[in-house]
Amino acid sequence: MKQINDYHHKKVLVLGLAKSGVSAASLLHKLGAFVTVNDSKPLNENPEAQQLLEQGITVICGSHPIELLDEGFQLIVKNPGIPYHNPMIQRAMEKEIPIITEVELAYRISEAPFLAITGSNGKTTTTTLLFNMLEKDNKNPLIAGNIGTVASDVAQMAEKDNQIVIELSSFQLMGIDQFKPKIAIITNIYDAHLDYHGTREEYAKAKGYITKNQEEADYLIVNIEQEAVMDIARRSKATIIPFSAQRELKLGAYVKDGSIYFHDEKIMDVKDIVLPGAHNLENILSSVAAAKLTGAKNESIIAVLNTFEGVKHRLQYIGEIKGRRFYNDSKATNILATKNALAAFDAPTILLAGGLDRGNEFDELLPALKNVKAMITFGETAEKMERLGKMAGIKNIQRVDNVEKAVPAAFDFSEQGDVILLSPACASWDQYKTFEVRGDIFINAVHKLK
């Protein structure tokens, strides 16, 4: 960990706790800042805040008083989930107080370079694949961000011979200042989090922040088939490395004659890859490109791709019961993710879908339902999902209260050879705290069938 003076004797407000807020507050305290933490949860229900209080950090809990911003703070470290239209953030911007997210702190203190991944879909799988490839190649990677330990905790233990592989959301990227990854990947950009960003353009702009400080000596790996991604690439100063699952390229990662290539070097045959789904081929190509840029050997890359079956909650194979195969794709919080999941199977499928209603319809999902023989719906969008199912001519549609009840209902409609797939196409927050909680409930319900 670098010993820096950037925050020494600065008055810093950490707004919102959760794991990243706790880590940021503790780190800033170590770095000599005068830290105040503000969280909406009352102190007596807030063990994280109590822990910080014991460290001698000022803690204000139970509400977000606007007048707190009149106390001369020189910096705000914001929980990524707090939107910029929040009254506290709006007031801070009016007062021209700099606002960052915890990822920026991690970068400032890290001895190790960052390999950063963002995108609408596939970033967790890509991050995991790249980490596994580098680990197999003995390159001492550490994993951080949404998928692993909080970035600033990882950065504190990182040394110069480590590499920090980090998954980053648009929310986190909006709060960076100097953050500059040695290698950045943008998997794809689709409509997502528009309730936070307002427009697709603002969302894409946030994703583009991953490369805003990169220079020619750095690399930006991009999906050449996506205009939104290439628009970011054209404005980047980094060396651009494209990938495509659809055509042969002069450089970058691509598929040719049924094999994966990087530049003009064959890596392995696609048929030997274990991970299912055509969409995962793009994740594989981008991770291969990043691994090769670090100097990883083909043998290490092949060993991972010969065995890697997927990430938990991302088209995760749970097991087979009486000839029915169960898959947990709880991370499918948007339409595209569910389309990709459905495209991975040729077998008759029972789809479990529904969740938070963000005001959109699901008509785009209609062509992907050709193999769906039954739908089990739940959550705020249950009615919309039922309407979609009827449009697709699906005869067996049943609404249930939650995911736990959806599993036995799906089994009742199934036969040997069928796939039972949880792929909600919606966020989980109407019923569950996170998509992980939703996925775990699905897994437990499947195990109860045995």
Side-chain angles (χ1 to χ4, degrees):
M1 168 177 162
K2 293 178 183 175
Q3 296 300 319
I4 61 172
N5 295 316
D6 301 38
Y7 308 108
H8 189 67
H9 285 180
K10 274 193 174 182
K11 285 195 71 174
V12 182
L13 175 64
V14 175
L15 191 59
L17 278 179
K19 291 180 182 179
S20 66
V22 171
S23 178
S26 296
L27 174 57
L28 287 162
H29 185 63
K30 287 181 192 174
L31 294 172
F34 302 123
V35 183
T36 297
V37 168
N38 179 216
D39 193 63
S40 60
K41 191 187 293 185
L43 185 61
N44 62 349
E45 302 173 12
N46 202 328
E48 295 89 355
Q50 294 171 24
Q51 171 194 334
L52 295 172
L53 196 60
E54 290 171 4
Q55 295 179 37
I57 294 170
T58 302
V59 173
I60 298 169
C61 287
S63 66
H64 293 302
I66 291 283
E67 57 271 18
L68 185 61
L69 295 177
D70 296 329
E71 295 189 9
F73 291 107
Q74 297 163 278
L75 177 72
I76 291 176
V77 181
K78 179 185 79 68
N79 182 290
I82 299 173
Y84 284 81
H85 57 256
N86 176 281
M88 287 282 282
I89 301 301
Q90 287 286 308
R91 180 67 177 272
M93 290 191 292
E94 289 170 9
K95 295 173 77 68
E96 298 184 344
I97 304 172
I99 301 167
I100 64 171
T101 50
E102 171 266 342
V103 171
E104 179 67 23
L105 293 178
Y107 177 77
R108 298 276 186 101
I109 65 162
S110 178
E111 298 274 5
F114 281 78
L115 282 58
I117 298 95
T118 196
S120 300
N121 291 313
K123 54 185 179 292
T124 300
T125 299
T126 302
T127 302
T128 308
L129 279 167
L130 177 56
F131 172 78
N132 289 351
M133 290 170 184
L134 299 185
E135 187 175 49
K136 191 72 175 177
D137 208 62
N138 299 314
K139 293 197 175 297
N140 303 315
L142 301 170
I143 196 162
N146 292 341
I147 187 175
T149 309
V150 174
S152 51
D153 285 343
V154 173
Q156 288 181 65
M157 63 181 183
E159 299 178 357
K160 289 180 180 178
D161 67 339
N162 293 125
Q163 298 180 82
I164 299 177
V165 183
I166 184 168
E167 175 189 332
L168 294 175
S169 70
S170 57
F171 305 163
Q172 291 168 306
L173 287 168
M174 287 186 74
I176 64 169
D177 178 27
Q178 297 178 19
F179 178 81
K180 181 168 79 77
K182 180 61 183 174
I183 298 174
I185 298 174
I186 305 177
T187 60
N188 47 55
I189 294 177
Y190 297 100
D191 288 354
H193 304 301
L194 300 189
D195 51 340
Y196 186 103
H197 294 285
T199 65
R200 180 189 173 105
E201 289 72 26
E202 286 299 312
Y203 172 61
K205 180 180 176 182
K207 289 294 190 186
Y209 288 164
I210 198 169
T211 187
K212 74 174 185 177
N213 295 316
Q214 286 190 300
E215 300 169 324
E216 189 176 354
D218 306 311
Y219 295 99
L220 176 62
I221 299 169
V222 291
N223 188 339
I224 199 172
E225 304 302 339
Q226 279 218 310
E227 182 56 32
V229 175
M230 293 309 296
D231 188 48
I232 293 169
R234 284 188 281 270
R235 295 195 297 270
S236 174
K237 295 178 181 177
T239 297
I240 305 301
I241 305 294
F243 68 89
S244 174
Q246 299 178 28
R247 53 177 153 152
E248 183 180 341
L249 304 176
K250 291 182 179 178
L251 60 85
Y254 54 93
V255 177
K256 174 185 173 184
D257 299 329
S259 299
I260 289 177
Y261 280 75
F262 181 70
H263 296 341
D264 59 352
E265 179 187 9
K266 179 180 174 179
I267 309 298
M268 68 181 297
D269 292 334
V270 172
K271 66 178 176 59
D272 295 328
I273 295 169
V274 173
L275 187 63
H279 64 291
N280 275 321
L281 190 53
E282 293 186 344
N283 303 327
I284 288 164
L285 289 167
S286 61
S287 58
V288 166
K292 291 293 289 181
L293 290 171
T294 69
K297 297 183 290 295
N298 289 353
E299 293 79 10
S300 302
I301 294 170
I302 293 167
V304 170
L305 294 178
N306 278 339
T307 56
F308 183 79
E309 294 182 345
V311 179
K312 190 176 182 182
H313 308 300
R314 282 85 174 170
L315 210 58
Q316 175 195 5
Y317 177 60
I318 305 304
E320 184 174 314
I321 299 174
K322 295 182 179 179
R324 287 81 161 167
R325 290 176 292 148
F326 290 82
Y327 288 85
N328 166 29
D329 195 38
S330 185
K331 180 60 172 68
T333 57
N334 57 47
I335 292 169
L336 178 68
T338 296
K339 285 174 71 173
N340 286 336
L342 288 167
F345 304 105
D346 293 323
T349 301
I350 293 90
L351 175 66
L352 284 58
L356 182 72
D357 192 346
R358 283 183 160 138
N360 60 289
E361 295 293 337
F362 296 89
D363 294 8
E364 293 173 58
L365 200 53
L366 191 60
L369 300 177
K370 61 183 184 300
N371 291 327
V372 174
K373 62 183 283 186
M375 283 181 70
I376 311 298
T377 69
F378 48 84
E380 290 179 355
T381 60
E383 186 176 343
K384 291 182 177 180
M385 288 294 179
E386 289 165 13
R387 186 162 59 246
L388 175 72
K390 289 174 183 175
M391 288 170 60
I394 298 170
K395 294 180 180 178
N396 297 315
I397 302 172
Q398 183 177 339
R399 188 187 305 191
V400 295
D401 293 338
N402 51 46
V403 168
E404 185 174 17
K405 292 182 179 178
V407 172
F411 191 82
D412 287 344
F413 282 122
S414 69
E415 300 173 290
Q416 268 198 327
D418 289 352
V419 166
I420 297 177
L421 170 68
L422 171 68
S423 190
C426 301
S428 62
W429 304 323
D430 59 331
Q431 292 184 302
Y432 306 102
K433 187 176 180 181
T434 64
F435 70 82
E436 291 95 340
V437 171
R438 180 171 64 187
D440 287 338
I441 288 171
F442 174 78
I443 293 169
N444 290 335
V446 171
H447 290 324
K448 287 179 182 177
L449 291 177
K450 293 181 178 179

